[in-house]
Each structure stands twice: as structure tokens, then as C-alpha cells.
Amino acid sequence: MKKKAIIVSVKSTTLTNREKLLLSKENPWGLILFKRNIKSLNQIKFLINNIRKLTKDKNFPILIDEEGSTVSRLKNIINHNFSASYFGDLYLINKKLSIKLYKKYLYSLCSNLKKIGINFNTIPVLDVLRINTSKVIGNRSFSSRKKIVKKLGQITVKQCCKNKIIPVIKHVPGHGCATSDSHYKMPKVNLNYKELNSTDFFPFKSNSAKLAMTAHILYQKIDFSNVATFSKKIIKEIIRKKIGFKGILMSDDISMKSLKYDLVTNAKKSLGAGCNLVLYCAGNINDNFKLIKSVPYIDKFTSKKTSEIYKILR
């Protein structure tokens, strides 16, 4: 069954009739969960089961942002109050111990997600911290040292895949250089290509991830007019060529305030620039339908890469 190039979201802890129709008839590529969708373990398992029945796809992508600490949608169900920076700080003191503990932590996290029925987690955050990095990243980043971010990022991807959870590296090509939060306004970065390539792009290189999420950031010295999500130049020349990312590229949430157009235009501009999927997180059913009718079916490349992902999930 051909899928539409969108990851949708729903409004509450149970599905409305229109949401059931969306999932059974419109074929979104996947669905992302938020705190608003999660009340208890039994409830979330029931909701996920229902979603999979409606899509008639046992591997239907159910995504979540389960980073731990400050970004945990499952806080009431899973107790894992560790941040990425905890493992990054420990790595500075004792590499072996940090890696050993981090692998154990990832095994536990992946096991819990699988029990619930979630098969995609939007980790790791590969943004390199700077002195003036926006607080929205904070302890979600492993470190201000690019080599630590890269190493722990590679471990995250390998361990998650080994444990049958598909990771999503973010926010490509790097959010650590931004001083403002893209949820609320468009961050503008004035660094040149050389500086960005040396620091921010570095952790994303040589990573085996099958999925990556873009940054809604304006890198003014590379593309003065378009945020990365809308930039053919950044997607083609930086993300695909310089960084060498070969997987499915998904936009960050197209309902974020850093994007200045209406939702349908945001979706079309993202896909037109080279994103393979768009992500919509607000869960408004009218907007879900409007978007799913306006986006195309996934292309051959995305279809092939989706099949590769499904093989990992078997």
C-alpha cells in the first residue's frame, strides 16, 4: 500500500471517528505521539493497537520524542531521568564506563518502548552545545565537544537498531549554533560554511541512521532566503553531499512558528526542497486532512528506504 509523505498526530488519548478514517483510508507514512496522547500504560497500548489495526500494518511507524530528562512524553510510565549530557559528562571522566552505562540505558529504554508498541524514537540530538546555544537544546545535547557528540550519536543509532527501535538523528545540519528556539521564532545563524562544517555538521557525518530530522534554521551565509527545511541548497549540497546522509529526511514540525507560511505551503516547500516526509505535530484533524490531501505519495527512494527500515523491525 502506497503511503503519503507525512507523519501525522492525533489530539487525545483515544481516536475520534475522523481520526480513524484518516488512518484507515488516507495512508499516512507514520504517526507521532505526545504527552496529550498518553494517560496510562494500558491506555497507550490500546491506542497503538488500534492505530495498527486501522492501518493494517504491524510495522506502522509510531514515533515519539523520548530523550529522557526534560523531553519525556512517557514520564508517567517510564522512569528514566537521564539526560544526554549526563552520558557526555561521564564520557569526559571515564569513556569505557560512559559507553557501558549508556548501552545498558539504551537497551532498557528500547525494551520499554517495544513493550508499549512504539518502534521509532527521535534520538539522538546531535547538536553541539555552544556558550550561547538556545536553552531549548540544553542538556538534550551530549556535549560542547563535537567528537563526544559524534561518538555517542553513533552508539545511539547502532544500539537502537540492534534493539529494533528506529532512531532519528536531529536537528540536521545542526541546531547548537542557534541562540533562539525555533518553536517560537526563526533562528538566524551568521556563521560561515567553514565554521559550521568544522563543528555543527561534524557529528552528523558517517552516521548510519536511516532517518534524520531537519532544523528550521536560517544559515544566512549559505542560503539567505530559506531555512534548512526549505533550502534545496542546504539539503542537496550540505545534508546529502557534504554530510553524506543517505536515509529518509523528514522535516521538523511544520506547525512551528519558525516557518512563516500556512501549513500546506510549509509542507509543499519542505518536500520541494528535498525532504522526503513532513512532520505535523499539532494534531488538528481538519489540518491533518488538508495536509494529507495536499502531499504526494512517497517516492521510490523513500519507499525503498522504508522497506529497509521494516527489515530492521522484523
Side-chain angles (χ1 to χ4, degrees), residues 118-133:
I118 292 160
N119 52 2
F120 285 65
N121 191 7
T122 66
I123 62 169
V125 172
L126 297 185
D127 306 319
V128 182
L129 275 185
R130 281 184 166 75
I131 294 163
N132 59 351
T133 296

Side-chain angles (χ1 to χ4, degrees), residues 60-74:
F60 182 74
I62 306 272
L63 294 84
I64 200 162
D65 298 323
E66 199 55 39
E67 299 173 14
S69 187
T70 52
V71 179
S72 173
R73 315 300 189 201
L74 294 161

Side-chain angles (χ1 to χ4, degrees), residues 38-309:
I38 299 154
K39 191 168 67 178
S40 68
L41 180 59
N42 285 340
Q43 169 270 325
I44 191 60
K45 283 170 94 168
F46 181 78
L47 177 65
I48 288 168
N49 248 346
N50 210 355
I51 290 165
R52 291 233 162 85
K53 275 181 194 164
L54 289 162
T55 58
K56 298 182 178 70
D57 181 357
K58 67 181 174 67
N59 290 319
F60 182 74
I62 306 272
L63 294 84
I64 200 162
D65 298 323
E66 199 55 39
E67 299 173 14
S69 187
T70 52
V71 179
S72 173
R73 315 300 189 201
L74 294 161
K75 214 164 227 168
N76 301 332
I77 296 170
I78 300 175
N79 184 15
H80 64 124
N81 202 23
F82 291 101
S83 61
S85 67
Y86 172 83
F87 296 102
D89 292 345
L90 186 58
Y91 191 92
L92 274 174
I93 302 161
N94 187 327
K95 283 183 197 178
K96 276 189 179 174
L97 181 64
S98 171
I99 291 169
K100 189 181 177 184
L101 289 180
Y102 189 47
K103 284 181 177 178
K104 281 193 169 185
Y105 164 77
L106 287 170
Y107 174 77
S108 169
L109 175 58
C110 291
S111 299
N112 281 316
L113 292 177
K114 276 192 294 189
K115 279 176 200 164
I116 293 164
I118 292 160
N119 52 2
F120 285 65
N121 191 7
T122 66
I123 62 169
V125 172
L126 297 185
D127 306 319
V128 182
L129 275 185
R130 281 184 166 75
I131 294 163
N132 59 351
T133 296
S134 166
K135 286 192 177 84
V136 73
I137 301 300
N139 66 5
R140 298 166 65 198
S141 167
F142 290 111
S143 179
S144 58
R145 303 194 181 202
K146 63 182 183 182
K147 288 185 178 172
I148 293 178
V149 177
K150 183 168 189 159
K151 178 68 179 170
L152 292 176
Q154 287 171 328
I155 288 168
T156 310
V157 168
K158 283 178 186 164
Q159 291 302 307
C160 285
C161 289
K162 190 178 168 184
N163 291 297
K164 296 188 184 299
I165 296 291
I166 305 301
V168 182
I169 57 174
K170 62 187 185 188
H171 305 85
V172 67
H175 205 301
C177 50
T179 56
S180 56
D181 181 350
S182 53
H183 288 87
Y184 303 108
K185 68 176 196 176
M186 184 201 292
K188 294 176 182 178
V189 170
N190 216 25
L191 299 171
N192 62 31
Y193 169 79
K194 194 178 175 187
E195 167 65 14
L196 288 164
N197 186 48
S198 160
T199 303
D200 300 272
F201 304 165
F202 179 79
F204 292 96
K205 294 175 182 177
S206 311
N207 191 297
S208 61
K210 301 283 184 191
L211 269 158
M213 184 189 288
T214 61
H216 293 334
I217 291 174
L218 191 71
Y219 303 88
Q220 294 179 113
K221 293 199 170 162
I222 301 174
D223 186 336
F224 189 77
S225 310
N226 300 292
V227 293
T229 307
F230 292 167
S231 174
K232 282 181 185 176
K233 188 175 187 183
I234 288 171
I235 289 173
K236 195 176 175 184
E237 293 178 22
I238 308 291
I239 296 172
R240 293 301 188 188
K241 284 187 183 168
K242 293 290 179 189
I243 288 172
F245 177 66
K246 292 180 170 63
I248 294 171
L249 187 65
M250 60 186 269
S251 74
D252 202 344
D253 177 19
I254 56 166
S255 61
M256 279 158 67
K257 289 184 171 67
S258 47
L259 305 184
K260 56 187 176 183
Y261 305 99
D262 63 274
L263 289 171
V264 169
T265 307
N266 286 343
K268 286 182 173 176
K269 284 180 89 70
S270 305
L271 295 168
C275 289
N276 308 112
L277 300 171
V278 290
L279 175 68
Y280 172 60
C281 298
N284 180 295
I285 190 61
N286 290 335
D287 288 332
N288 267 320
F289 269 105
K290 208 183 286 180
L291 283 163
I292 210 156
K293 299 284 188 194
S294 67
V295 300
Y297 286 102
I298 59 171
D299 58 18
K300 280 182 183 174
F301 169 84
T302 312
S303 186
K304 181 175 177 279
K305 293 292 172 185
T306 302
S307 298
E308 288 172 16
I309 287 167

